[in-house]
Amino acid sequence: MTKRKILATALAACTLMSMVAGCGSSASTASTAASTAAPAAEESTAASAAETASEAAPAAADGETMVLTLANSHNAEHITSQACQRFADSVNEATNGRITIECHFAAELGDERSTIEQCQFGGLDFTRVSSGAAAEFAPLMNALQMPYEYNSVDHLFEVLDGEIGQEVFETFKDNGLVGITYLHPGSRNFFNSVKEIHTPEDMAGMKIRVSESDLMLTLMDSLGASGVGLPFNDTYSSIQTGVVDGAENNMTSYIEMSFYEVAPYWTYDGHSYMPDMILASQATMDKLSEEDQKIIYECAAEAEAWHRDAWEESEAKNAKIAEEKGCTLTTLTDEELQAFKDAVAPMYDSFLDDEQKAIVERVQALG
């Protein structure tokens, strides 16, 4: 059995065990003043709607064909989009064509928050989103995306593949959603159109595009910059027209979305590994037989195993392209990096509630 198959099997097994045995706790979604949780009334409405949809739609009978839909804000060529397509193709093959998953790219079906909301109410079956957007629907996710939280990508996946990652996934069910698999997010770094960045002081007064989440806006405040919450697909034009001075993302997105053309200054600060993920509508999963649910999880795990290897290759390739394009790539010294860590340290106390802090402590213990 290949390493990739072993990893895929392990990922699927952990997810399936969490479904049957209730892996982890039923984590509370109470928020602090800075939490991104939706109002209680909206959560109640979403959960009620998902429950009603589930009750109204019995599991699909054996042999019944289904056409499901997956949304993704990335363009079709993006490495994460390729993983989504592999997932869809594998499900179709494993079910002998009974289940077809149609993938829609480039935010064709809406931005990330919109597609999550559509999944909540059963209007959409699957969506690929970032943890920044997802945390609004499962606040415990904030404990997995704090700045400078992970020592390495291996540390990240030890967390996501283990009990902690599955416990956080379980909390999506409170809002009519199901966590299917995490996806390699890449290390997120700053890039801008103005100058090299070596210290937080260099960012003072800069307007930086971030995902529309309290976490990222707070991060920018902590570093002395101004965070501007904008949809991902507006990033290029916003930098080009001066609405913002820069943004933050991984190297693959930096090259594939041509951000280097308008923001040639890149700083390797690795402030965040914000896991991507595929979420499903609870109503959709409830329509599937137990066997078909198993197929969904196994095919997603196989796609993720492929994606991890492909992502590492993509990051290395695109870093070389950035050099060839003449971008200024700045690697921070240990002292410079520590200044960034010190600037955001208060976020761990002020931004997280007690439950989230307990998760972070477990994450750090694994590092």
Side-chain angles (χ1 to χ4, degrees):
M1 181 177 291
T2 65
K3 180 180 179 182
R4 181 176 300 162
K5 287 289 185 179
I6 292 172
L7 175 58
T9 301
L11 288 170
C14 185
T15 303
L16 287 168
M17 284 190 291
S18 73
M19 293 171 57
V20 177
C23 176
S25 64
S26 56
S28 165
T29 56
S31 63
T32 62
S35 172
T36 56
E42 292 180 8
E43 291 181 354
S44 176
T45 301
S48 176
E51 182 178 355
T52 300
S54 174
E55 291 174 351
D62 291 341
E64 181 179 344
T65 60
M66 301 181 69
V67 178
L68 306 177
T69 303
L70 184 151
N72 184 3
S73 62
H74 292 307
N75 60 42
E77 293 75 28
H78 193 281
I79 194 72
T80 302
S81 297
Q82 294 178 42
C84 289
Q85 189 62 60
R86 289 178 74 96
F87 162 59
D89 293 342
S90 294
V91 169
N92 185 264
E93 181 179 354
T95 61
N96 295 315
R98 283 190 301 103
I99 299 178
T100 298
I101 300 177
E102 296 181 345
C103 296
H104 294 259
F105 303 112
E108 179 184 352
L109 301 182
D111 61 21
E112 291 188 5
R113 176 171 181 166
S114 172
T115 60
I116 296 173
E117 290 172 342
Q118 291 176 62
C119 279
Q120 274 188 293
F121 298 104
L124 185 62
D125 302 299
F126 300 96
T127 183
R128 192 289 318 163
V129 295
S130 68
S131 59
E136 295 191 39
F137 303 85
L140 204 58
M141 183 61 67
N142 282 325
L144 301 187
Q145 60 176 1
M146 292 300 290
Y148 308 105
E149 182 173 7
Y150 300 98
N151 297 328
S152 65
V153 69
D154 290 336
H155 181 200
L156 169 72
F157 285 121
E158 184 176 4
V159 172
L160 298 184
D161 294 343
E163 291 183 358
I164 297 173
Q166 295 309 311
E167 286 173 23
V168 174
F169 257 177
E170 282 293 308
T171 65
F172 280 104
K173 292 182 178 179
D174 295 336
N175 272 317
L177 301 163
V178 179
I180 300 300
T181 190
Y182 291 103
L183 294 169
H184 196 324
S187 171
R188 298 179 76 92
N189 303 273
F190 293 113
F191 52 91
N192 75 91
S193 62
V194 182
K195 61 182 179 180
E196 282 192 71
I197 293 174
H198 286 271
T199 67
E201 288 74 21
D202 291 334
M203 299 185 68
M206 279 192 178
K207 294 175 291 183
I208 304 296
R209 179 271 166 190
V210 294
S211 60
E212 299 173 272
S213 73
D214 286 349
L215 177 70
M216 295 307 298
L217 294 171
T218 303
L219 170 61
M220 291 299 98
D221 288 341
S222 298
L223 295 177
S226 297
V228 181
L230 293 170
F232 174 75
N233 282 11
D234 290 346
T235 303
Y236 186 101
S237 61
S238 295
I239 298 174
Q240 185 179 43
T241 58
V243 172
V244 296
D245 299 306
E248 53 83 46
N249 217 304
N250 54 66
M251 179 59 78
T252 293
S253 292
Y254 180 64
I255 295 299
E256 293 190 356
M257 299 301 291
S258 299
F259 295 145
Y260 66 89
E261 294 178 349
V262 291
Y265 297 99
W266 172 278
T267 299
Y268 281 110
D269 76 301
H271 57 267
S272 181
Y273 285 98
M274 298 181 69
D276 278 5
M277 65 200 70
I278 296 176
L279 298 177
S281 169
Q282 180 72 66
T284 296
M285 295 299 286
D286 287 345
K287 293 177 185 178
L288 301 176
S289 67
E290 183 175 337
E291 180 61 26
D292 284 344
Q293 288 185 35
K294 181 180 178 182
I295 289 172
I296 292 293
Y297 283 108
E298 289 180 344
C299 290
E302 289 175 2
E304 160 59 353
W306 172 85
H307 182 255
R308 290 188 190 184
D309 291 340
W311 187 273
E312 291 297 324
E313 294 174 4
S314 176
E315 289 279 280
K317 177 193 72 175
N318 285 307
K320 183 174 293 187
I321 292 174
E323 291 181 4
E324 293 171 352
K325 295 293 184 180
C327 298
T328 300
L329 307 180
T330 301
T331 299
L332 302 179
T333 66
D334 290 344
E335 292 77 13
E336 288 172 340
L337 181 59
Q338 188 60 49
F340 282 86
K341 293 180 178 180
D342 292 343
V344 305
M347 288 179 61
Y348 283 75
D349 288 326
S350 63
F351 191 83
L352 300 176
D353 62 25
D354 289 342
E355 186 177 19
Q356 293 165 339
K357 288 178 183 178
I359 291 290
V360 168
E361 289 177 0
R362 292 168 62 193
V363 168
Q364 293 173 336
L366 292 175

